[in-house]
Amino acid sequence: MTSDTYRPRRSVLYVPASNDKALAKIASLACDTVIIDLEDGVALADKVSARHKLTGILAARPARRCEMVVRINPLGSEWGIDDLLTVAKAEPDGILLPKIGTPRDILEAGDLLDDNFAPDIVKLWAMIETPKALLNVGAIAELGRDQASRLACFVAGTNDLVKATGILATPDRRYLTPWLLQLVLAARAGGLDVIDGVANDFRDLDALARECAEAAAMGFDGKSLIHPAQIEPANRAFAPAPEALARARAIREAFSRPENAGKSVIALDGRMVERLHLAEAEKLLAKAAIIGA
């Protein structure tokens, strides 16, 4: 991710496509991304009717333009293909694919989009929520280096990973953490963004804040959310800290001095600073400017 392509994804809120009351609130929310959900958030009897609402939902995008992504049902399900083709015509920012296992799942979805003339701006997101996907995550992430694949972002499906593996879901997520770090590493290798899984108790905002802080420290770009009350803590946790911004400004100013022109390494406040640190500082400052931090 470069500073000129940065798109904030600090807060990624799931909204069921069948919940009219929640959908009506989207324009007033301060989240960076909304995922309109056709999968887990929609009852079986409502799957088709929820899909038919997608065109109207996406046509009524809020003036404050948050990113709009749609999570479809698995392509192998009875609803998946129709979901994909219907959603693609409405041209969301992204389509989130659940239950993937291999790179082929991404490529097949991309081929369907290409064959049906979906514009290149419609990107693919991938849920990493099965043991098979986690074992193949490096190969899947490599598709991110090929723009033709459309792959742009990973989303951790932590609840499904817990269910599929039988690990104990502790408050500190100690048994999940190695897999989460593996997911971040793969995403970075593929040039992808990566979003942490949900915090299930939406009333416990202190626990959410801890998970967000840990996820930010692990390198995640944001947190997937299930309730609007979780938006503000996520936005705060994944925004650059004031101390980090002050340090970034100091690094930029130091390298701009005439005596440091052309230098690869300088000393600043008793520490060695390289040009790679300048690049990191510029990226952080650009990020802060975009989100208004």
Side-chain angles (χ1 to χ4, degrees):
M1 178 183 65
T2 61
S3 60
D4 61 331
T5 61
Y6 173 70
R7 183 162 199 172
R9 289 168 175 153
R10 300 164 298 167
S11 48
V12 179
L13 179 68
Y14 287 104
V15 178
S18 56
N19 189 331
D20 292 335
K21 184 178 178 181
L23 291 169
K25 294 180 179 178
I26 290 175
S28 66
L29 300 178
C31 53
D32 291 330
T33 304
V34 168
I35 296 178
I36 307 299
D37 190 20
L38 294 175
E39 193 208 15
D40 290 343
V42 176
L44 296 181
D46 297 330
K47 294 285 190 184
V48 176
S49 61
R51 181 201 304 142
H52 289 161
K53 292 165 58 178
L54 255 297
T55 301
I57 293 170
L58 291 171
R61 299 180 197 199
R64 187 201 67 79
R65 179 77 157 79
C66 64
E67 189 174 27
M68 301 286 281
V69 175
V70 179
R71 179 165 70 171
I72 64 172
N73 288 284
L75 288 182
S77 72
E78 63 183 282
W79 308 282
I81 299 296
D82 287 336
D83 282 355
L84 182 72
L85 298 182
T86 300
V87 171
K89 291 176 183 177
E91 298 186 10
D93 296 297
I95 297 174
L96 177 56
L97 304 174
K99 305 297 187 294
I100 68 160
T102 70
R104 174 52 52 189
D105 296 323
I106 306 295
L107 294 172
E108 288 178 352
D111 288 344
L112 282 168
L113 293 179
D114 292 342
D115 291 344
N116 286 273
F117 308 105
D120 293 341
I121 58 171
V122 180
K123 301 302 181 183
L124 290 174
W125 290 30
M127 294 289 302
I128 305 299
E129 56 185 341
T130 67
K132 189 172 185 179
L134 200 57
L135 287 173
N136 291 319
V137 71
I140 297 168
E142 193 62 26
L143 295 176
R145 296 295 178 187
D146 181 1
Q147 289 190 356
S149 77
R150 299 176 184 256
L151 185 60
C153 189
F154 280 158
V155 179
T158 45
N159 285 335
D160 284 88
L161 283 171
V162 167
K163 178 182 177 182
T165 59
I167 66 168
L168 183 63
T170 59
D172 63 2
R173 304 201 297 178
R174 70 182 69 179
Y175 304 114
L176 269 173
T177 296
W179 298 339
L180 295 175
L181 289 169
Q182 182 182 354
L183 180 55
V184 172
L185 186 65
R188 296 298 172 243
L192 303 170
D193 276 1
V194 57
I195 309 301
D196 189 20
V198 300
N200 295 312
D201 187 351
F202 60 84
R203 294 164 298 185
D204 191 344
L205 296 183
D206 290 336
L208 170 75
R210 287 193 299 272
E211 279 195 20
C212 287
E214 291 165 357
M218 282 189 269
F220 282 94
D221 295 289
K223 182 82 169 166
S224 44
L225 312 173
I226 57 173
H227 193 277
Q230 298 177 316
I231 294 171
E232 193 278 331
N235 282 347
R236 184 174 62 249
F238 290 97
E243 316 84 68
L245 290 174
R247 177 69 177 172
R249 293 188 188 100
I251 291 172
R252 183 174 63 182
E253 191 277 330
F255 272 104
S256 70
R257 296 171 193 162
E259 64 268 26
N260 292 329
K263 289 184 179 179
S264 297
V265 182
I266 63 172
L268 179 63
D269 298 330
R271 298 177 63 183
M272 181 187 75
V273 180
E274 301 179 59
R275 292 232 164 232
L276 66 89
H277 298 120
L278 174 61
E280 291 174 348
E282 296 283 10
K283 180 178 176 180
L284 190 70
L285 293 169
K287 176 178 179 179
I290 290 171
I291 64 176

